[in-house]
Amino acid sequence: MRTRKQLVTKGFIAALAAGLLMSCQNKAGNNTPATTPAAGTGTPAAGSFKIAYVDLDSLETHFEYFKEKKGLLEQKQQQMDNQLKGKARALQAEYEDLQRKANTLTQEQGEAAQRSLMSKQQQLEQEAQNLRASYAEQETKFNEELQKRLDDFLKTFNADKRFAYIFSYRSNASNILYKDPAYDVTKDVIKGMNDNGAAGTK
């Protein structure tokens, strides 16, 4: 999607502050080392500050509903572009035809033809503006719907409150500077959302 809205989860600063607070409490107590997640389990160990993340690039690549709706949106954009280009070519052809006939027209006829062309050009520009505004509105609704689907699924996915925060991650466009694969729940989220779609919850 050309201008798709980035699905960025809020709360990074709050999560960082909470993590630092827990660290300070450990130091002020019996200095017991913080529990770390078991390697390769994909789930943090009990007692740790539990977080997770979803890789949005991977989600968009494998979430079937997203691919289907994105494809339809791209088709609409292509149709819009073809429609505008076709009308622009027709207007250009009419202008060139007027240029060829210029010597055979009276001044009044020439001016009338020019006014007609200018009016058609303004109409085409207005049509292009309206079509782009309509497409932008559809794209916004598409992004909002996807965000809601992800939010609703994660509420169910994390109903047991095992994660305090679930961040979003996107390559080259994320506040997350380091990610541990042990906290990656992307595959589970993709499977769950695809299963929901297959169950007829579209």
Side-chain angles (χ1 to χ4, degrees):
M1 187 169 52
R2 286 184 185 176
T3 59
R4 56 180 178 261
K5 187 186 298 176
Q6 181 180 341
L7 309 177
V8 179
T9 306
K10 298 179 181 179
F12 176 74
I13 298 300
L16 180 61
L20 291 174
L21 177 61
M22 291 182 65
S23 176
C24 291
Q25 289 175 341
N26 284 336
K27 290 180 179 179
N30 57 12
N31 293 325
T32 302
T35 307
T36 58
T41 63
T43 303
S48 65
F49 180 64
K50 299 177 182 179
I51 62 173
Y53 68 89
V54 176
D55 187 321
L56 297 181
D57 295 321
S58 183
L59 177 64
E60 291 173 0
T61 299
H62 300 288
F63 181 27
E64 296 301 327
Y65 180 84
F66 174 87
K67 293 192 293 182
E68 176 187 348
K69 294 300 182 180
K70 179 185 176 184
L72 293 175
L73 200 59
E74 289 175 343
Q75 286 180 12
K76 290 181 180 180
Q77 184 179 41
Q78 188 62 53
Q79 291 171 358
M80 178 188 73
D81 290 343
N82 292 340
Q83 178 180 339
L84 293 175
K85 287 177 181 178
K87 291 188 176 183
R89 285 193 296 268
L91 189 60
Q92 179 65 27
E94 189 174 345
Y95 171 77
E96 293 173 354
D97 185 56
L98 177 61
Q99 291 292 94
R100 287 191 296 270
K101 295 178 179 178
N103 293 333
T104 65
L105 301 176
T106 65
Q107 181 176 352
E108 183 178 350
Q109 289 173 329
E111 290 175 352
Q114 287 181 7
R115 286 195 298 271
S116 176
L117 281 174
M118 289 182 63
S119 176
K120 290 179 180 180
Q121 181 179 357
Q122 290 173 353
Q123 291 174 6
L124 180 57
E125 290 173 351
Q126 184 62 50
E127 181 180 359
Q129 183 177 346
N130 292 341
L131 286 172
R132 289 175 183 134
S134 175
Y135 177 81
E137 182 179 356
Q138 293 178 62
E139 189 176 43
T140 297
K141 289 181 179 179
F142 172 62
N143 284 314
E144 289 174 348
E145 180 192 0
L146 289 173
Q147 181 67 63
K148 185 177 186 306
R149 281 175 174 267
L150 180 58
D151 291 344
D152 290 346
F153 176 79
L154 290 178
K155 287 177 184 177
T156 302
F157 177 77
N158 198 45
D160 56 2
K161 306 295 183 182
R162 64 188 182 279
F163 298 116
Y165 291 93
I166 300 178
F167 295 123
S168 66
Y169 173 83
R170 190 185 293 279
S171 178
N172 299 323
S174 174
N175 290 327
I176 299 176
L177 301 179
Y178 171 78
K179 57 187 180 73
D180 187 335
Y183 297 89
D184 186 357
V185 296
T186 308
K187 290 183 179 179
D188 292 335
V189 170
I190 290 171
K191 182 180 185 305
M193 294 186 74
N194 279 334
D195 288 346
N196 283 350
T201 57
K202 293 183 179 180

